[in-house]
Amino acid sequence: MNKSTSNNQSLKVERKTVEKNRRIRMNILCSKLASLIPQHHITTSKGSLSRQDQLDQATSYITQLKERIDGLKLRKEQAVLQSEGIDTSSSLTSSIDQKAKLGFVPPVFQLRDHGLGLDVILISGRRKNFMLYEVIRILEEEGAEVVSASFSVVGDKIFHTLHAQVRLCRVGVETTRVYERLKELIH
């Protein structure tokens, strides 16, 4: 019986030690987090901040940083689009802005007609899945033959570029019909 009491007391002491170490570690981590917040971001109504206030300030600061990063990513994507020669008019970018805040950017595509050839540029986010073979199928059904396809990944965007040529020169490809079918598929 004496042995049982001694085991219980040693377990209590061990639990207290573990809990004390946990509290010390949490205090150190909260202090580190609070030290990372710039002084100009900290708003104090009292002399010093409580742990809860420090965590609230850190959460607010991290949220602002994330919004800033998202804005910078969007500016980068627009610059990439412009360098690819894709129009980033205000109606397109405002739509992208609204959906980017939700974490979803719909696919964007551009169709270029070169007489006997077509270029299809598709830009999609990693979250929006569409089957590339369906795009190729539409092009082939409309009388074009895909001669090359490539893709590149920039950030959260996937850029697909397809080059197709007209199979029968006298028949050609009706670009407006291809455009409408691709628009229907992607959106």
Side-chain angles (χ1 to χ4, degrees):
M1 195 169 184
N2 197 10
K3 192 175 187 181
S4 161
T5 307
S6 124
N7 281 342
N8 285 341
Q9 285 182 350
S10 71
L11 275 174
K12 285 181 184 179
V13 170
E14 187 177 327
R15 284 184 194 149
K16 284 182 182 180
T17 305
V18 168
E19 178 60 21
K20 182 180 177 183
N21 289 338
R22 186 196 66 79
R23 283 193 314 268
I24 290 170
R25 178 149 169 72
M26 288 302 291
N27 285 335
I28 290 170
L29 291 172
C30 284
S31 295
K32 277 184 178 179
L33 184 61
S35 72
L36 295 174
I37 302 170
Q39 284 300 100
H40 68 275
H41 184 76
I42 297 174
T43 57
T44 58
S45 57
K46 306 173 192 170
S48 64
L49 293 175
S50 68
R51 287 281 181 228
Q52 181 65 42
D53 291 336
Q54 288 176 349
L55 292 174
D56 287 342
Q57 295 283 335
T59 302
S60 171
Y61 181 63
I62 290 168
T63 302
Q64 285 180 1
L65 286 177
K66 185 180 179 333
E67 288 172 359
R68 184 170 177 217
I69 288 169
D70 290 344
L72 291 171
K73 281 182 181 177
L74 186 61
R75 282 179 53 196
K76 178 183 174 184
E77 290 166 7
Q78 288 174 343
V80 168
L81 289 174
Q82 287 175 344
S83 72
E84 292 279 329
I86 297 173
D87 182 26
T88 57
S89 64
S90 61
S91 63
L92 174 65
T93 55
S94 64
S95 170
I96 289 174
D97 285 344
Q98 292 167 358
K99 293 184 180 179
K101 288 178 184 172
L102 300 173
F104 173 78
V105 178
V108 177
F109 76 97
Q110 186 177 39
L111 183 65
R112 295 180 185 162
D113 186 0
H114 301 291
L116 296 178
L118 288 174
D119 291 335
V120 179
I121 300 170
L122 296 161
I123 304 164
S124 67
R126 292 184 184 196
R127 294 184 184 181
K128 174 64 177 171
N129 294 326
F130 68 91
M131 301 300 169
L132 190 58
Y133 73 87
E134 292 176 356
V135 175
I136 295 170
R137 181 182 49 82
I138 288 172
L139 289 171
E140 289 182 350
E141 285 175 0
E142 293 300 323
E145 182 180 357
V146 176
V147 291
S148 70
S150 62
F151 77 95
S152 61
V153 178
V154 178
D156 286 343
K157 298 279 178 267
I158 302 173
F159 293 81
H160 297 277
T161 306
L162 292 100
H163 302 285
Q165 63 186 22
V166 176
R167 246 187 268 149
L168 299 172
C169 297
R170 60 179 182 256
V171 176
V173 174
E174 186 164 341
T175 311
T176 55
R177 183 172 157 87
V178 172
Y179 181 84
E180 289 301 320
R181 288 187 66 189
L182 288 175
K183 184 176 173 184
E184 190 177 304
L185 170 70
I186 292 171
H187 300 288

